[in-house]
Every structure is written in C-alpha cells, then in structure tokens.
Amino acid sequence: MKRSLILRVMLAALFAAVVGAMFSPVVGAATFVASNFVKIPAGSFGMAVTPEIWTDYIIGNLFKNNEFLLESVDESQYVIGGTVVHIPQAGAASGVQRNRTSLPASVTRRRDIDITYALDEFTTDPRFIPNADKVELSYDKMESCMYEDMANLHEVVAEAMLYNWRPTYFIKASATKHANNTIHGSNLRTGVSIADFAKAKVIFNKWNLPKADRYVILNSEMYEQLCSEVRNASNDVLGAVYDNVTGRLKALEGFTILERSTTLMASNSTLSQVSGTQYFKWTSGNDLTYSVEDYINIENGSKAAGTTDCCYGIFWHKSCVARALGNTVMYTNEGDPTYYGDIYSFLQRLGGRARRADGKGVLGLIQEYHAS
C-alpha cells in the first residue's frame, strides 16, 4: 500500500512537471494536487488527456507566430452560437445644412443594415494513439502528436484570415523585374520597392485613414527584396530602420512591417487602374486570388503552380479588418475497442472580414507578371 502511494505521488509529480512546463507553474501545481486527491476510475489510464486543458492551449496559442491577426478589430463579442457573427449596423446619419433657408426640411428615415457572416470551421484529421504508445511513451507521445496537429491548425487559420481580408484594390510592385523575384510559376516578376510604401502612404492618406495603426505583411521573399534595397541604400535614415544583427526591418512610411513565410497569391496580375487614382482592381471583375486550400497545396508541392502566378502582400489599417473567435472543441474517444487505443481531433471556428463595403483600408501589393 505504501509502495503504491509512493509510486502514485511520483507519477503525479512527473505529470505535473510536464504540464507546468507547457502552461505555467500554477497549472502544474494544480495538476499535482488533482492527481493525488482526485480518485481515478479503476481500469482507466492515469494520464488521460483533459480536453479543457488542450482547448485552452489552442486558444492561448492561436495567434502565436501569427501576431498580425491581433492587429484587427475583435468582433468575437458578436458571435452567436459559436458559429455566426451578427452585428447591428446603424444606417447613414441625417444631413446637415448651415443657415437653412428652405422649409419644411426634407424628412429622411434611417435604414439600419445588419452585418452577418459565418465563421469558418477548421477541423483536424482524427489522430490515433495506440495503447502501446501510451504505456511505453507515456504523455510525450500524445503531447507531440497534438502539438503538431495544433501547429498545423494555427497555420491554416492564419492563411484563411488573410484570405478573408483580401483586398479589392492593389498597387503593383515597382522594383526592376527579374527572374529571381519569381516565387512560383516562371518568367519574370517585379520586386518590392521602398517607393511602393510611399505610394501606399499617399493612398491611405487620401482615404482619410488615421496615421497610427497602419500595417503591411509580406512573404519572406518579398520581405527580403525590400531589405535588400534598404541595405543598399546610401540614405543614412533608411539604415536606421533596418537592424543588421537581427535582419529586422521595423517600419517604412508609417507602416509597421510584418513578415511570414506566405501571404496570398493570385493566378495572374491582370489589373486595371481605377480612374483618377494610383491603384488598380481586377480587370475581369473576378477575384483571381487562390483559395486557401489551393495555395497551401501549391506551397507543399501537391498542386502545380501556374505560369503566371503572382504573390502579393497586404497593407491595412487596424480599424478596417476584423477577426471573430468562435467555438474551440476537442473530441476524444479514449479506449476505442476497435482501434485498441485513443482517437483525438480538434475543431476551431474563426472568421474575419474587411470591414468597409467600399474596399478602402486594405490595399494589395502584387508582384506583376512579365513574360520577358
């Protein structure tokens, strides 16, 4: 009896140390207490997974390495039933005249329009953990599998949010066209330039957007094209915004610069200039941006890239894009008699949108395709 108690305390301490390292010492201490004073049902595995811990882990790490998602308006409070966002939207304000001379004044009625959009549902493929692995490898096997699954979940969620924020209007990357700028497809692409940031700044100013909270996200190749121009610039001021030690480019022309491995990609750069402006929109009226699934398949090599594929980054103002977090669920089937082990899967609901109906506040920076 005494030996059994000592063994149980030792196992509880080991498990608590693992959980404490993953989450926090407080959670680890709570786990140790629970392991010693909460009776485990006879015949069950002592290190069973607690869904609440893992769902909290998903939520807590959802924006890790994808911090750009936080630079948006949080509309989670408007989520209904964990699946749909419903936002009451006030109509246009009444008109105002100075020194009105004509009476009676025209009577108008405010027409309110509700905004509703569904959250995307992200689900992982069910993961099978054989009973032998649980016994022989203890908690580490489950931790490793779940960490991989959740990391992949977070990556797809981030890609989908960028797609939800995709722009109506674009500017074209203006650096010299070169084969080295071609990420997917073939032939030549223009590169990202400092001048592109100056143009984006002017456009945002004309859109009357606040000068604070302006951001841009570029994929790694586009980011390096920009860094290369800054490194080669003779302007000492430009050198001050680039850290040669970390390789970090802080900001340009009022835009905080963010980098991730991928952003968005279109099947072509067929754009027409909007009359009286410096920006462009799709010539055909059809959005040529690849879906999240197609882009991921191109990135991992399971789908062939098109010859004219063009990557693009996004400038945005924080007030002009939104995110909304819905349900987070872990599904478990422990001790499945047909699989002789445990099966786990995860579900996350998340959505977002560009907030302005006129498309302003979000601007694409696309690498233009050139055949030669």
Side-chain angles (χ1 to χ4, degrees):
M1 180 70 178
K2 184 176 181 181
R3 181 179 298 176
S4 176
L5 176 61
I6 293 173
L7 179 60
R8 189 175 73 177
V9 171
M10 290 176 64
L11 288 173
L14 177 62
F15 183 43
V18 173
V19 174
M22 291 178 57
F23 301 100
S24 70
V26 175
V27 176
T31 303
F32 176 75
V33 173
S35 300
N36 282 282
F37 293 98
V38 177
K39 186 176 180 181
I40 300 172
S44 67
F45 182 64
M47 292 184 180
V49 171
T50 303
E52 290 77 12
I53 291 178
W54 287 102
T55 54
D56 288 346
Y57 182 83
I58 292 175
I59 296 172
N61 290 273
L62 191 60
F63 305 117
K64 188 176 182 180
N65 299 324
N66 288 303
E67 288 84 357
F68 76 90
L69 294 172
L70 297 174
E71 307 305 338
S72 60
V73 176
D74 187 0
E75 295 181 339
S76 301
Q77 69 269 30
Y78 300 112
V79 174
I80 298 176
T83 60
V84 176
V85 175
H86 178 260
I87 305 173
Q89 183 85 352
S94 63
V96 176
Q97 289 189 24
R98 185 173 68 91
N99 301 325
R100 190 184 300 271
T101 58
S102 177
L103 295 173
S106 299
V107 178
T108 60
R109 176 182 176 182
R110 193 182 79 173
R111 298 189 179 276
D112 296 344
I113 301 174
D114 290 348
I115 294 175
T116 303
Y117 62 94
L119 301 184
D120 292 321
E121 180 183 270
F122 303 90
T123 53
T124 64
D125 294 336
R127 175 74 74 174
F128 168 52
I129 309 293
N131 186 64
D133 284 349
K134 289 177 60 181
V135 173
E136 296 169 8
L137 302 178
S138 185
Y139 193 81
D140 290 343
K141 175 73 173 185
M142 291 180 287
E143 177 191 354
S144 175
C145 290
M146 292 180 187
Y147 180 82
E148 289 177 359
D149 291 348
M150 286 185 287
N152 189 41
L153 176 66
H154 297 162
E155 181 68 16
V156 176
V157 165
E159 297 281 359
M161 190 62 75
L162 282 174
Y163 183 80
N164 289 342
W165 292 355
R166 65 193 185 279
T168 299
Y169 303 114
F170 293 82
I171 57 174
K172 299 178 181 180
S174 61
T176 305
K177 60 185 179 182
H178 200 285
N180 290 341
N181 298 332
T182 304
I183 303 169
H184 294 288
S186 58
N187 299 320
L188 311 177
R189 301 292 185 281
T190 52
V192 178
S193 169
I194 297 170
D196 302 329
F197 281 67
K199 182 175 290 186
K201 178 190 69 176
V202 171
I203 292 171
F204 271 45
N205 289 347
K206 287 184 175 294
W207 284 347
N208 293 317
L209 296 170
K211 290 182 170 56
D213 295 325
R214 294 182 180 185
Y215 297 89
V216 61
I217 189 163
L218 304 173
N219 65 35
S220 295
E221 290 87 353
M222 298 174 77
Y223 183 83
E224 175 52 32
Q225 292 162 18
L226 183 63
C227 288
S228 178
E229 183 176 358
V230 171
R231 284 194 297 265
N232 294 329
S234 58
N235 189 331
D236 292 337
V237 176
L238 290 177
V241 302
Y242 178 76
D243 188 332
N244 282 293
V245 176
T246 63
R248 180 82 176 88
L249 187 59
K250 303 171 187 175
L252 280 173
E253 300 292 350
F255 292 94
T256 299
I257 302 172
L258 305 172
E259 176 203 4
R260 70 188 310 272
S261 59
T262 59
T263 48
L264 291 171
M265 185 165 67
S267 58
N268 209 322
S269 56
T270 51
L271 298 159
S272 298
Q273 190 165 2
V274 177
S275 178
T277 74
Q278 297 185 63
Y279 48 88
F280 299 76
K281 64 180 180 180
W282 298 115
T283 300
S284 63
N286 296 324
D287 192 337
L288 301 182
T289 305
Y290 276 113
S291 69
V292 177
E293 293 74 19
D294 282 342
Y295 189 26
I296 290 175
N297 289 337
I298 290 173
E299 283 289 326
N300 63 30
S302 61
K303 177 182 172 67
T307 300
T308 59
D309 288 351
C310 295
C311 292
Y312 68 86
I314 299 177
F315 293 95
W316 79 93
H317 190 273
K318 185 174 183 176
S319 67
C320 297
V321 293
R323 68 185 189 278
L325 182 66
N327 290 339
T328 305
V329 183
M330 177 183 182
Y331 294 96
T332 66
N333 187 9
E334 298 184 51
D336 189 294
T338 59
Y339 281 89
Y340 306 99
D342 301 339
I343 300 175
Y344 307 101
S345 63
F346 299 95
L347 177 149
Q348 176 67 63
R349 287 190 173 92
L350 189 77
R353 65 184 179 111
R355 300 183 74 216
R356 289 182 55 162
D358 61 7
K360 296 178 180 179
V362 184
L363 183 68
L365 173 59
I366 192 166
Q367 293 186 280
E368 190 174 16
Y369 167 78
H370 292 273
S372 60

